Amino acid sequence: MKAVIFDLDGVITDTAKYHFIAWKKLAASIGIQFDETFNEQLKGISRMDSLQRILKLGNRLNDFTIEEKEKLAEQKNNEYVKLIAAITPQDLLPGIASFLKELKDSKIKIGLASASKNGPSILERLQIASYFDTIVDPGQLKKGKPDPEIFRAAAIQLKIIPNECAGIEDALAGIQSINGAGMFSVGVGVPLEAQPDWRVKSTGDLTLGELKMHFRQKNL
Ligand code: B16
Ligand code: MG
């Protein structure tokens, strides 16, 4: 195992709650209500795809032009950016700081494969940007998760072949993306239908020793 590629939201920090607040406000402004169960479907999904799912939920898929949809997505993002301004290193999920340090000390490369265009600024706020050897720019991708493109791109940027990489995700679409890329997948609290190579309940269960052991077992 030469690299570990992280998802951001739900693995490094819990930004899902801010996405939820921002989308709820935007949806309410166009007469659509949704709850936390529906919000699960938006995890790991790009901004525009999330908007499409919300419009579909409210039966309003054909009510807006492309320009209007872009405006709606921008409004949501403006709200989201205001909310994430409050993020500090205290918002790192349990165990992530020590896990990143373990990886760095062992010279294992670290990548970010987040669908979020706000990823780099969130890493700065969490004060962990310097740990990352590469960050995939989601704006350059043709397809979002569950397509494997984002995890493949991270491996290409790191110049490491996919089967020497592990990917860590909290969303079903993300695990599908890692598996499709041919990497070892770690699922943090993922739904039952997801099929990670190693399933953990919380980020606090992530240690380099355990990860290496499960990685080796798969590659025997
Ligand atoms: P942005 P991840 C994803 O982050 C979120 O889970 C998803 O809810 C969000 O829509 C997406 O990023 C895009 O985020 O609007 O900031 O570009 O889980 O891939 O780290
Ligand atoms: Mg996620």
Side-chain angles (χ1 to χ4, degrees), residues 9 20 26 29 36 45 67 100 119-120 123 133 144 156 174 186 197:
D9 172 28
F20 182 48
L26 188 274
S29 77
E36 240 165 306
I45 303 297
E67 290 74 24
L100 286 170
L123 293 188
D133 298 291
I156 291 169
V186 183
D197 293 308

Side-chain angles (χ1 to χ4, degrees), residues 7-9 19 42 44-45 47 50 114-118 145:
D7 171 49
L8 177 65
D9 172 28
H19 282 297
L42 306 182
I45 303 297
R47 199 179 303 167
S50 301
S114 167
S116 177
K117 293 180 177 164
N118 295 294
K145 299 169 190 175

